[in-house]
Amino acid sequence: MEWPACTDEYEKLLIRMSTPRVVIDNAVCSTATLVKVDSARRHGILLDAVQVLTDLNLSIKKAYISSDGRWFMDVFHVTDQNGNKLTDESVLKYIEQSLGSIHNGRANCSNGLTALELTGTDRVGLLSEVFAVLADLQCDVVEAKVWTHNGRIASLIYVKDCNSGSTIEDSQRINKIEVRLRNVLKGDNDIRSAKTSVSLSVMHTERRLHQMMFTDRDYQRTPILKFTSDKAVVTVQNWAERGYSVVNVQCKDRSKLLFDVVCNLTDMEYVVFHATINTTSDRAYLEFYIRHKDGTPISSEPERQRVIQCLKASVERRACEGVRLELCTEDRQGLLAEVMRTFRENGLNVTRAEISTIKNMATNVFYVTDAIGNAADPKIIESVRQKIGSSNLEVKELPLIYHQKAETEDQAFGVGGAVLWCIGSLVRRNLYNLGLIKSCS
């Protein structure tokens, strides 16, 4: 490590102590790559570590998390989306470098685009109207993510000027965009809760979407559309002897699940002191030992119920409802407005969308259902594909994120035993409660 000339020995010691130590091991486990992180504890550092892994679309099969005083220790068992260990040296190096710098935090920055934040009541055809307005206002959509949950919608859309390709900074134009979009969001019956805002700074998109929906209190609302996915089971109990609140989450496993749960715990200002995460087949089991930032456990029944509601919402927001459609075609002005209008005219509701532009190609993912949340008719899907272009719009299966190789009990016990030495007796108790080892002694 190169040190500035003015850095004294004490400063060097502090930097060494606060810099996370990262070890990546492909030898211990036959089915996953182990990523071990030791670092000084601060609020949000677990979220930063998980974010590094999930932003690479890695699947976290198991994790063991523990803190001892002011020190934090994480062990993640990760694979790619096909269930394979990580072997690409460039990826391994990127993980090591990124995790080694998380003690610096992650500041907001500008990416040369104008960010539009929208929240309001979801309805069939809403996105068609939103993108039609943006096309009319000469806004080119470069990236966007849209989530819907319990009848609410949150969207973060990054745009630039169609003609100049630059950031939109003119205050009058920004005000016009906000007013037009707010009118679309209001519709006929959402006068108060529809919100729009414009920003030139960019934070982590998915974390911001969680914050927007949390602020909108989507977790308190009654679902409008009919979804049939397995519901998450969340329990919260206090462990009085140790002063922890114990949170258990059981649900269907999926990509970025751990990020979503930890993100919401962090934004609700809870600190995770210990945790175990395990996945078997298509199920995920997560257990967290948490306290408030002030060191106290959950202290009332209303607070307990609020945590349960919020964590259920964190799992459900990104649940893959509907048919996954992937659009890959040359980008052009008004493309999204045309695609969304075709969806609307055929009675398809977009429950989630991920929109990106790479060079001159639009690469978009849509999850669609019928108007009331049921599976869309395959004939309608095929009709939509013909109208948009069957070679451009394809029906895709979800990425393979679940276990393809069953881990034997001996392997699970061996990995657990290797980890227990560094994360202490509390996590050993957690492993026993989850059935990962035969004894907690």
Side-chain angles (χ1 to χ4, degrees), residues 263-441:
C263 180
N264 280 266
L265 287 172
T266 303
D267 287 339
M268 288 190 289
E269 300 197 333
Y270 292 105
V271 178
V272 177
F273 286 84
H274 308 276
T276 58
I277 288 81
N278 187 42
T279 60
T280 58
S281 183
D282 66 341
R283 304 295 297 175
Y285 305 88
L286 300 84
E287 183 175 58
F288 303 92
Y289 287 74
I290 65 171
R291 293 176 182 150
H292 283 287
K293 285 178 67 176
D294 63 9
T296 60
I298 293 170
S299 58
S300 68
E301 180 60 20
E303 182 186 3
R304 190 179 76 88
Q305 291 299 327
R306 178 171 172 268
V307 170
I308 291 173
Q309 287 180 322
C310 290
L311 292 184
K312 284 183 177 180
S314 74
V315 172
E316 294 169 358
R317 288 170 192 151
R318 207 202 293 259
C320 299
E321 298 288 354
V323 178
R324 177 185 170 113
L325 301 177
E326 292 187 6
L327 174 67
C328 185
T329 187
E330 186 175 350
D331 191 30
R332 67 177 188 277
Q333 186 176 353
L335 172 65
L336 278 171
E338 293 177 19
V339 171
M340 292 298 181
R341 184 176 65 249
T342 303
F343 288 164
R344 182 194 66 199
E345 290 172 348
N346 286 270
L348 295 180
N349 183 59
V350 178
T351 62
R352 189 155 65 90
E354 298 179 7
I355 293 158
S356 61
T357 306
I358 303 175
K359 294 184 179 180
N360 293 322
M361 294 298 294
T363 306
N364 306 331
V365 177
F366 308 99
Y367 294 86
V368 299
T369 67
D370 70 8
I372 61 172
N374 292 319
D377 187 333
K379 293 180 180 179
I380 293 179
I381 295 292
E382 186 57 31
S383 174
V384 168
R385 290 186 63 228
Q386 295 301 322
K387 292 175 182 177
I388 295 175
S390 57
S391 61
N392 299 329
L393 185 66
E394 296 185 354
V395 179
K396 292 287 187 178
E397 297 294 332
L398 296 178
L400 179 58
I401 64 168
Y402 306 126
H403 294 279
Q404 287 182 308
K405 305 171 185 177
E407 296 187 43
T408 66
E409 184 179 23
D410 290 340
Q411 287 173 328
F413 181 83
V415 174
V419 174
L420 294 179
W421 182 81
C422 67
I423 60 178
S425 60
L426 179 60
V427 177
R428 187 185 300 115
R429 180 189 179 96
N430 294 355
L431 296 177
Y432 174 74
N433 289 338
L434 286 176
L436 296 180
I437 60 176
K438 294 182 178 180
S439 173
C440 63
S441 60

Side-chain angles (χ1 to χ4, degrees), residues 22-26 33-35 52-53 56 58 86-101:
V22 182
V23 177
I24 299 177
D25 192 336
N26 258 325
T33 299
L34 267 64
V35 179
V52 167
L53 300 175
L56 291 170
L58 301 179
L86 311 182
T87 56
D88 189 322
E89 288 297 329
S90 63
V91 173
L92 297 177
K93 186 175 181 180
Y94 176 83
I95 292 172
E96 185 173 359
Q97 292 177 342
S98 298
L99 290 175
S101 63

Side-chain angles (χ1 to χ4, degrees), residues 1-8 11-12 15:
M1 178 182 290
E2 295 292 332
W3 301 102
C6 60
T7 306
D8 61 27
E11 289 178 308
K12 292 179 182 179
I15 293 172

Side-chain angles (χ1 to χ4, degrees), residues 237-287:
Q237 296 177 321
N238 276 355
W239 186 5
E241 292 178 356
R242 296 292 183 90
Y244 293 117
S245 293
V246 184
V247 177
N248 277 279
V249 180
Q250 296 185 28
C251 61
K252 185 176 181 179
D253 189 26
R254 61 166 173 78
S255 178
K256 301 188 179 183
L257 174 63
L258 180 58
F259 171 83
D260 292 338
V261 175
V262 172
C263 180
N264 280 266
L265 287 172
T266 303
D267 287 339
M268 288 190 289
E269 300 197 333
Y270 292 105
V271 178
V272 177
F273 286 84
H274 308 276
T276 58
I277 288 81
N278 187 42
T279 60
T280 58
S281 183
D282 66 341
R283 304 295 297 175
Y285 305 88
L286 300 84
E287 183 175 58

